[in-house]
Amino acid sequence: MSDYDFDLFTIGAGSGGVRASRVASAHGAKVAVAEEYRVGGTCVIRGCVPKKMLVYGAHFAEDLEDAKQFGWDLEGEPSFDWIRLRDTVLGDVDRLNGLYTETLENHDVTIFHERAEITGEHEITLASGKVVTAKYILIATGAQPAVLDFPGSDLAITSNEAFHLDELPKRVMIAGGGYIANEFAGIFNEFGSKVCIVNRGDKLLRSYDEGLSDRLLKISLMKGIQFHFNTTFKSITKNDDGSLHVEMNGSEDMDVDVVMFATGRNPNVSGLGLDTVGVEQGKIGEILVDEYSKTNVDHIYAVGDVTNRVQLTPVAIREGQAFADTVFNDDPKTVSYDHIPSAVFSHPPISAVGMTEGEARNKLGNIKVFQSDFRPMKNVVAGRNERGLYKVIVDAATDKVVGIHMIGPESAEIMQGFAVAVKAGLTKADFDATVAIHPSMAEELVLLK
Ligand code: NDP
């Protein structure tokens, strides 16, 4: 008999927490998980998944336009019903929430639908007052949107609220120039909102290759998205008609209907009782862990966004899996953070794996850059003046492909397979030896001279 109520108590049922809990249970552990909001976490409930559905919905604006050149006559002007799409998406989120809950239940994981706080070495107190004990504690509480602090900033929303809007705003201002800003700018713009991005610097998508972010900026401007660079917020006030008056440093005042912050995400650590047990935290509160996701307290671990290592769902899932295998299957596993492919679901999407051109120059010195700047066939037929850009970065000394960067239709789908090649350390000669699939966009990557 264990001295504890549970072998593992997980706080947070998001991507990392759910994976860790169900795998630990499959390894024979008695597991409980506490979730104060909805099982599934940010990605499933108010992040990647519903966002991707909105991206699909948004892209029809271009598809319907392009259809004409492909011979399709659509009677009258197409119209868009935000509420219908919103409710379809939220309905699917409910379905997924149910599936994730079922997964945990099928694995005999006890779910507490309430907030949990660590109140002793091995003790957790739930919001209802119930106290339980666990041999191991896993913190998988994720992150939340960072909200800027200035007069009236409480009038702004974040991506959390964007999925629930009661009407489509006519004018949207988005703060930030990263993933969420560019994805939502694309979404709202395609739906017909007037969108402007306000960015404190002059760079979009800082971690991506400059060639790609420059191309996205050019295409976004062409599509009508406005940008205010080197601009910060002074205040937001409400106008009599309910719209918002935004004062800025570096740009003229503007009236908009919605201001949305997309200025990074902070680890969810408040009220967790970390001080009670002395768990060490970093600069923005993130939980510090070793390569096995273990904190400085031997039996307390943390995975996912709360550790602020790489804020991506598939990474959190791997961390959760590695934790469960290490602790409950006597099979020590770490996660490889090299060559993590990523994508920005902007219009058009961006995808990347490995080093950018700048990083490779700094790190390797002697590199070769192969580039294809082309107009996809579909865009040519549609009369859409939108070019894709693919870049392949090669280490001149070894011929290894060390980075691939793409902007263009379906670039995220194309990247997943090519990321395997980069992860496997294949060379430019291997790419050249691969026969193209013709006609496709992806063939550009094996035809680069
Ligand atoms: P990002 O880190 O991508 O971008 C944050 C943006 O906000 C940057 O432009 C940054 O500017 C700016 N910013 C940061 N702090 C301030 C501040 N105090 N005042 C003004 N501007 C500020 O964060 P997001 O919020 O877009 O997304 C959060 C994370 O979620 C991402 O990093 C990513 O890991 C994940 N995500 C992944 C997606 C995907 O995989 N497709 C989609 C959405 C989110 P600067 O460049 O100057 O620092």
Side-chain angles (χ1 to χ4, degrees):
M1 266 301 273
S2 165
D3 296 336
Y4 303 101
D5 299 325
F6 296 99
D7 299 312
L8 171 65
F9 195 100
T10 303
I11 307 179
S15 300
V18 167
R19 174 60 69 94
S21 300
R22 77 165 170 80
V23 174
S25 183
H27 289 325
K30 188 175 176 202
V31 183
V33 54
E35 171 55 58
E36 65 172 336
Y37 187 50
R38 301 185 75 186
V39 172
T42 298
C43 177
V44 172
I45 306 296
R46 48 194 179 189
C48 345
V49 172
K51 181 275 312 285
K52 185 75 184 278
M53 293 176 192
L54 293 186
V55 169
Y56 279 131
H59 204 71
F60 278 101
E62 292 184 10
D63 292 336
L64 289 168
E65 180 65 31
D66 292 352
K68 293 174 194 157
Q69 284 296 106
F70 287 89
W72 292 90
D73 283 323
L74 304 160
E75 301 253 325
E77 270 303 294
S79 64
F80 170 66
D81 183 346
W82 160 250
I83 300 299
R84 201 176 340 141
L85 176 62
R86 182 199 68 180
D87 291 348
T88 306
V89 169
L90 294 179
D92 211 62
V93 166
D94 288 343
R95 182 183 67 84
L96 291 168
N97 170 232
L99 284 180
Y100 272 72
T101 307
E102 233 176 84
T103 299
L104 288 174
E105 286 168 354
N106 289 344
H107 282 82
D108 293 324
V109 174
T110 304
I111 309 174
F112 294 102
H113 294 278
E114 52 188 315
R115 206 176 156 73
E117 182 183 342
I118 302 172
T119 43
E121 275 288 290
H122 291 270
E123 182 190 276
I124 298 106
T125 302
L126 294 154
S128 58
K130 186 179 171 66
V131 176
V132 298
T133 58
K135 187 171 181 193
Y136 291 96
I137 296 171
L138 176 68
I139 303 165
T141 46
Q144 59 185 308
V147 174
L148 302 183
D149 188 17
F150 59 83
S153 63
D154 56 315
L155 293 170
I157 63 164
T158 68
S159 52
N160 285 351
E161 291 76 41
F163 297 104
H164 298 270
L165 291 173
D166 285 330
E167 59 183 326
L168 191 64
K170 289 195 172 60
R171 299 159 300 176
V172 190
M173 176 180 283
I174 304 180
Y179 281 84
I180 297 179
N182 284 287
E183 293 183 339
F184 272 91
I187 290 168
F188 283 124
N189 182 59
E190 299 284 315
F191 289 155
S193 303
K194 194 154 185 45
V195 179
C196 79
I197 283 187
V198 171
N199 196 23
R200 65 174 171 187
D202 60 0
K203 265 197 167 48
L204 295 178
L205 296 166
R206 192 177 287 286
S207 62
Y208 282 83
D209 191 279
E210 252 183 69
L212 269 62
S213 46
D214 285 352
R215 180 60 54 92
L216 178 64
L217 172 62
K218 206 167 154 191
I219 294 175
S220 299
L221 283 166
M222 235 162 53
K223 288 184 195 291
I225 298 172
Q226 285 180 14
F227 290 83
H228 297 275
F229 289 116
N230 301 312
T231 298
T232 55
F233 287 85
K234 254 194 223 167
S235 68
I236 306 177
T237 47
K238 208 167 202 163
N239 294 320
D240 290 343
D241 65 358
S243 65
L244 302 174
H245 183 73
V246 187
E247 276 193 85
M248 294 169 277
N249 301 302
S251 291
E252 298 284 304
D253 296 6
M254 276 182 81
D255 287 311
V256 295
D257 301 301
V258 164
V259 177
M260 179 176 132
F261 291 134
T263 44
R265 296 176 60 85
N266 292 331
N268 275 329
V269 284
S270 76
L272 277 180
L274 299 179
D275 290 344
T276 311
V277 279
V279 169
E280 280 176 9
Q281 293 169 255
K283 270 197 195 124
I284 59 162
E286 76 275 19
I287 296 179
L288 301 176
V289 289
D290 69 10
E291 58 189 322
Y292 294 101
S293 296
K294 187 161 83 169
T295 69
N296 60 309
V297 180
D298 252 359
H299 63 280
I300 301 183
Y301 289 69
V303 295
D305 287 1
V306 76
T307 65
N308 201 30
R309 284 175 282 187
V310 179
Q311 288 189 342
L312 294 175
T313 299
V315 175
I317 290 172
R318 279 180 183 252
E319 289 168 355
Q321 175 85 41
F323 155 78
D325 289 343
T326 301
V327 176
F328 296 103
N329 200 34
D330 199 17
D331 179 15
K333 275 195 188 135
T334 58
V335 172
S336 162
Y337 295 93
D338 287 338
H339 304 111
I340 295 173
S342 64
V344 185
F345 293 99
S346 42
H347 289 260
I350 282 178
S351 64
V353 67
M355 289 185 239
T356 63
E357 181 180 344
E359 285 164 355
R361 279 198 198 289
N362 287 340
K363 208 163 173 185
L364 306 172
N366 196 7
I367 61 164
K368 290 185 192 158
V369 179
F370 297 87
Q371 191 162 307
S372 174
D373 189 333
F374 65 104
R375 204 166 158 209
M377 182 198 280
K378 188 163 171 254
N379 287 354
V380 174
V381 177
R384 183 170 288 282
N385 186 20
E386 207 177 292
R387 299 181 72 81
L389 177 66
Y390 290 4
K391 285 176 78 169
V392 171
I393 318 292
V394 176
D395 180 352
T398 60
D399 195 42
K400 266 191 188 167
V401 175
V402 294
I404 302 181
H405 309 274
M406 289 189 258
I407 179 167
E410 313 300 342
S411 65
E413 301 293 340
I414 296 167
M415 180 57 84
Q416 186 69 76
F418 277 97
V420 177
V422 178
K423 179 86 181 158
L426 297 191
T427 60
K428 177 68 167 59
D430 293 318
F431 277 50
D432 296 343
T434 305
V435 174
I437 295 177
H438 183 74
S440 69
M441 292 177 286
E443 69 178 320
E444 297 294 324
L445 289 173
V446 296
L447 296 174
L448 290 166
K449 292 279 177 294

